[in-house]
Amino acid sequence: MSYNDLTHFNASGEAHMVDVGSKSVTIREGVAEGRIFMQPETLKRIMEGSHKKGDVLGIARVAGIMGAKRTPDIIPLCHPIMITAVDVELVPEPEKNAVYCKAVVRCGGQTGVEMETLTAVQVALLTIYDMCKAVDRGMVISDVGLLEKSGGKSGHWRRSANA
């Protein structure tokens, strides 16, 4: 693969922002997931709502939404897009000592929402880490990835079950 195969590099190998002006406006959606693993006592505090810092999952949900909206501010070549919806779902998984996060981001635009969707998951999970690090510094964020995307020239894509 050469620099010419990557759209974020020009013919000279220099980074540049891709011109999406000629692309059609379509409804686009991204779905991503991830987990944060923790000590059983940390998860118990989150589930009981007894954590000193308050509603950990509620705050993480809002942080995920805000993260999706701010994606072009932290990913250098990412286009600002008009997001129409962000859903962030956080589900405690006691059998895994983890919290599962799934984010769905939608827009009508000329470029996809994969980066916004992945950012929503990462920021939500990082917020859980930040709120709980005083009692559990060993938490691990893992398994973050895109599950599905739709819209645009490439159409619908879904991660295979083996990935």
Side-chain angles (χ1 to χ4, degrees):
M1 180 175 277
S2 72
Y3 284 119
N4 291 332
D5 296 328
L6 300 171
T7 58
H8 284 127
F9 295 96
N10 65 18
S12 302
E14 301 163 333
H16 78 114
M17 191 170 195
V18 175
D19 183 354
V20 296
S22 63
K23 289 184 169 185
S24 300
V25 173
T26 64
I27 303 299
R28 296 164 186 262
E29 181 177 280
V31 182
E33 68 177 353
R35 282 187 173 78
I36 184 166
F37 295 90
M38 61 192 66
Q39 295 296 316
E41 180 60 32
T42 307
L43 183 59
K44 182 179 174 191
R45 288 179 186 200
I46 291 171
M47 292 171 58
E48 292 176 347
S50 62
H51 195 285
K52 280 184 177 178
K53 292 192 175 180
D55 180 6
V56 173
L57 298 183
I59 293 170
R61 186 173 302 107
V62 172
I65 293 166
M66 292 173 63
K69 293 167 60 176
R70 301 298 302 258
T71 300
D73 294 337
I74 56 176
I75 306 295
L77 302 177
C78 189
H79 292 85
I81 57 175
M82 182 59 75
I83 293 173
T84 58
V86 180
D87 295 315
V88 176
E89 176 185 6
L90 294 159
V91 180
E93 297 179 322
E95 70 282 359
K96 295 180 179 178
N97 294 322
V99 174
Y100 172 79
C101 179
K102 179 180 172 182
V104 180
V105 179
R106 292 179 201 92
C107 79
Q110 295 170 297
T111 189
V113 288
E114 295 97 326
M115 295 309 299
E116 288 75 7
T117 309
L118 289 163
T119 301
V121 169
Q122 301 266 14
V123 171
L125 296 175
L126 284 168
T127 299
I128 292 172
Y129 187 95
D130 185 46
M131 293 187 73
C132 299
K133 68 183 182 230
V135 297
D136 188 356
R137 284 191 174 80
M139 291 177 286
V140 173
I141 294 172
S142 182
D143 306 329
V144 175
L146 189 69
L147 287 171
E148 193 172 344
K149 73 117 219 132
S150 62
K153 190 170 85 177
S154 61
H156 189 250
W157 174 88
R158 179 176 293 174
R159 186 170 68 198
S160 72
N162 298 332

